[in-house]
Amino acid sequence: MRLVLLGAPGAGKGTQAKNIVSKYNIAHISTGDILRDEVKNNTEFGIKANQYMKEGKLVPDELIIEIIRNMLVKDGGKSGFLMDGFPRTLLQAEKFDEMLASLGQSIDKVINISVEPKRLIKRLTSRRVCSSCNNICSISNNEDDNEGCPSCGGELYRRKDDHDEVIKHRLKVYEQQTKPLIDYYRKNGLLFEVDGSGTEAEVTERILSIL
Ligand code: AMP
């Protein structure tokens, strides 16, 4: 199964992606996670990407397309995948279609998780990530960052781009550059809309009923 997960920052793509891939045993490809690893390891690529990421801008298309191309070449496009955070521009979507076609593959379904903008900001400002198991969770107003990961007790941290000014910019970038993908995939007949409100389990249930 070859899936693409669309949605604004804070729509719950990362959380839902984990639930979907564990059910279908397919690879979870998060370009955000790949880039954060490159930044952490201080690679040449990570140093370049970090300039854009810390300001909430998109990393240039050619860099991202290169990552995905290498990944597909290595795998031969044989295994299933769920793309989380890719494609994010029309050019990325077109190049992705071309890369898959050259391997005799295509996307099966595109799931768009929609959440109202006010709720997105709230989710992003309260989002924390576990430094040991990468679990994504949300802190309530009364808790502090050291409360610990609900899954493993590990230390939680706030992503550098989950701060007010950067969040605003990321949402603007989403509106201008990524939202047009909804129409692109609708025209291709691949788009399925999912309401992203409610609990994590409710949203997972809605997605699984489509798959
Ligand atoms: P995410 O974890 O998906 O929210 O991504 C974090 C940041 O990584 C984004 O704000 C971008 O700077 C960068 N990024 C991730 N995926 C892409 C992509 N497909 N195209 C361009 N930049 C990306």
Side-chain angles (χ1 to χ4, degrees):
M1 187 154 37
R2 295 178 190 84
L3 305 172
V4 169
L5 208 49
L6 287 183
K13 296 188 297 296
T15 305
Q16 293 303 327
K18 289 198 173 95
N19 297 342
I20 300 165
V21 299
S22 72
K23 167 108 181 153
Y24 291 100
N25 210 14
I26 51 177
H28 175 193
I29 314 291
S30 156
T31 41
D33 284 351
I34 295 171
L35 292 171
R36 278 184 288 278
D37 266 353
E38 296 281 341
V39 172
K40 199 156 97 191
N41 295 328
N42 220 18
T43 63
E44 199 183 322
F45 185 80
I47 293 166
K48 261 191 222 163
N50 195 30
Q51 301 298 316
Y52 300 93
M53 293 170 76
K54 64 183 184 197
E55 291 175 26
K57 293 179 181 159
L58 291 185
V59 171
D61 284 336
E62 58 274 18
L63 296 183
I64 297 289
I65 290 164
E66 200 51 34
I67 294 180
I68 301 293
R69 193 189 307 278
N70 290 340
M71 198 204 74
L72 285 177
V73 165
K74 229 193 268 167
D75 175 82
K78 285 191 245 30
S79 330
F81 56 70
L82 182 145
M83 291 290 169
D84 159 12
F86 175 89
R88 247 176 161 106
T89 64
L90 280 172
L91 185 74
Q92 290 179 18
E94 286 161 4
K95 291 284 172 200
F96 189 40
D97 283 346
E98 283 171 25
M99 283 187 253
L100 288 172
S102 73
L103 295 164
Q105 314 284 353
S106 58
I107 296 166
D108 294 313
K109 282 180 182 162
V110 176
I111 311 279
N112 181 46
I113 307 178
S114 50
V115 172
E116 57 172 336
K118 239 199 279 167
R119 208 182 287 241
L120 291 172
I121 296 174
K122 196 153 183 272
R123 281 195 189 177
L124 288 168
T125 47
S126 62
R127 177 164 74 180
R128 297 293 181 272
V129 184
C130 175
S131 51
S132 62
C133 72
N134 273 334
N135 182 30
I136 305 162
C137 57
S138 173
I139 56 155
S140 75
N141 294 337
N142 301 323
E143 288 170 315
D144 65 25
D145 296 9
N146 299 321
E147 190 75 3
C149 170
S151 279
C152 75
E155 199 181 327
L156 299 178
Y157 72 93
R158 186 173 184 177
R159 273 173 49 173
K160 283 197 190 117
D161 56 356
D162 279 346
H163 290 270
D164 294 359
E165 281 314 305
V166 188
I167 288 173
K168 270 190 219 149
H169 191 70
R170 286 165 66 208
L171 291 172
K172 205 150 118 200
V173 166
Y174 167 77
E175 287 290 326
Q176 290 168 348
Q177 302 195 57
T178 308
K179 211 172 173 187
L181 293 181
I182 297 176
D183 266 350
Y184 176 83
Y185 287 119
R186 187 179 285 123
K187 281 183 193 139
N188 291 353
L190 295 173
L191 190 81
F192 291 81
E193 295 274 6
V194 166
D195 172 8
S197 63
T199 65
E200 176 182 333
E202 282 166 351
V203 180
T204 304
E205 195 56 39
R206 286 176 205 139
I207 295 176
L208 295 182
S209 73
I210 288 167
L211 301 176

